[in-house]
């Protein structure tokens, strides 16, 4: 299990994002959280879809791996994976790296006025969710658990930023 969590911004993300996330993630996982280097956007843009393939982001993050830390990448890029219209994030379980996309966490993406607190809450949920996968957790049927799968931003808003009792127990067993 990891000795720390490293937050890595891709170059399109402003630094204030990882600053607030750092504190929250340290609290949720009881681990030190550090900021890593800032990475350039990988060459993964699909001009037809106006989206980025997620795999090269995970590969870039993997290239930073040094020990048993977990690395969480953050990008503004709208990510997709083969067979899916979009993804909020993706975790490469065996590699210990994951990435989240901020693109669909803004209210303005849905034509609504921006809400800073709501946005931060969504970022935290997606970050905890992908890190939960790295800790070996699968999707949870409880819609209020952070490990519930988000098909849409509505699912993200319904779930909490924390683990249900069942996932909490699994998390303790796994770490
Ligand atoms: Zn998931
Ligand atoms: Zn759960």
């Amino acid at each position: 299990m990891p000795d720390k969590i490293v937050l890595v911004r891709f170059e399109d993300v402003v630094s204030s994002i990882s600053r607030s996330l750092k504190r929250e993630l340290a609290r949720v996982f009881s681990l030190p959280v550090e900021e890593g280097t800032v990475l350039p956007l990988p060459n993964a843009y699909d001009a037809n879809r106006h989206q980025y393939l997620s795999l090269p982001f995970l590969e870039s993050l993997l290239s930073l791996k040094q020990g048993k830390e977990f690395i969480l990448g953050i990008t503004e890029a709208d990510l997709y994976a083969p067979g899916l219209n979009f993804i909020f994030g993706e975790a490469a379980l065996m590699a210990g790296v994951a990435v989240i996309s901020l693109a669909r966490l803004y209210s303005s993406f849905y034509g609504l006025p921006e809400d800073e607190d709501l946005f931060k809450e969504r970022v935290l949920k997606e970050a905890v969710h992908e890190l939960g996968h790295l800790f070996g957790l699968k999707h949870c049927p409880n819609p209020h658990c952070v490990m519930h799968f988000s098909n849409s931003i509505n699912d993200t808003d319904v779930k909490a930023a924390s683990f249900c009792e069942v996932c909490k127990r699994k998390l303790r067993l796994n770490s």
Side-chain angles (χ1 to χ4, degrees):
M1 277 296 119
D3 47 5
K4 63 181 173 186
I5 294 166
V6 181
L7 286 184
V8 171
R9 278 184 292 130
F10 284 89
E11 62 190 352
D12 55 353
V13 174
V14 295
S15 62
S16 55
I17 295 282
S18 40
R19 247 180 279 136
S20 56
L21 244 192
K22 231 170 102 173
R23 221 182 15 245
E24 296 288 324
L25 292 177
R27 180 181 55 78
V28 172
F29 292 101
S30 306
L31 276 175
V33 182
E34 288 174 9
E35 277 194 65
T37 177
V38 176
L39 285 177
L41 279 180
N43 192 5
Y45 187 64
D46 183 322
N48 292 321
R49 301 180 62 128
H50 304 290
Q51 285 180 306
Y52 287 76
L53 183 63
S54 63
L55 188 61
F57 287 79
L58 293 170
E59 287 168 344
S60 292
L61 294 166
L62 187 57
S63 73
L64 299 176
K65 267 286 255 185
Q66 287 176 330
K68 47 191 191 123
E69 78 276 13
F70 283 166
I71 302 181
L72 179 70
I74 310 168
T75 180
E76 295 281 351
D78 188 19
L79 300 177
Y80 76 95
L84 296 170
N85 287 337
F86 75 91
I87 53 173
F88 286 116
E90 186 174 15
L93 181 54
M94 302 311 286
V97 301
V99 64
I100 59 168
S101 163
L102 304 182
R104 292 173 191 253
L105 304 183
Y106 295 98
S107 293
S108 56
F109 185 88
Y110 307 94
L112 296 168
E114 215 43 80
D115 180 334
E116 178 81 22
D117 289 341
L118 179 62
F119 173 71
K120 278 193 181 153
E121 187 72 15
R122 288 168 172 173
V123 175
L124 177 63
K125 288 173 185 177
E126 294 309 327
V128 172
H129 180 97
E130 294 309 332
L131 285 165
H133 281 315
L134 295 187
F135 278 94
L137 293 180
K138 303 217 162 49
H139 286 146
C140 177
N142 181 342
H144 301 292
C145 174
V146 73
M147 290 315 293
H148 193 70
F149 177 68
S150 287
N151 246 326
S152 71
I153 197 66
N154 191 44
D155 297 328
T156 304
D157 288 342
V158 166
K159 68 188 180 186
S162 53
F163 300 99
C164 72
E165 289 307 316
V166 179
C167 288
K168 239 183 233 167
R169 214 172 307 133
K170 287 183 191 159
L171 191 64
R172 253 177 265 136
L173 292 176
N174 289 346
S175 53

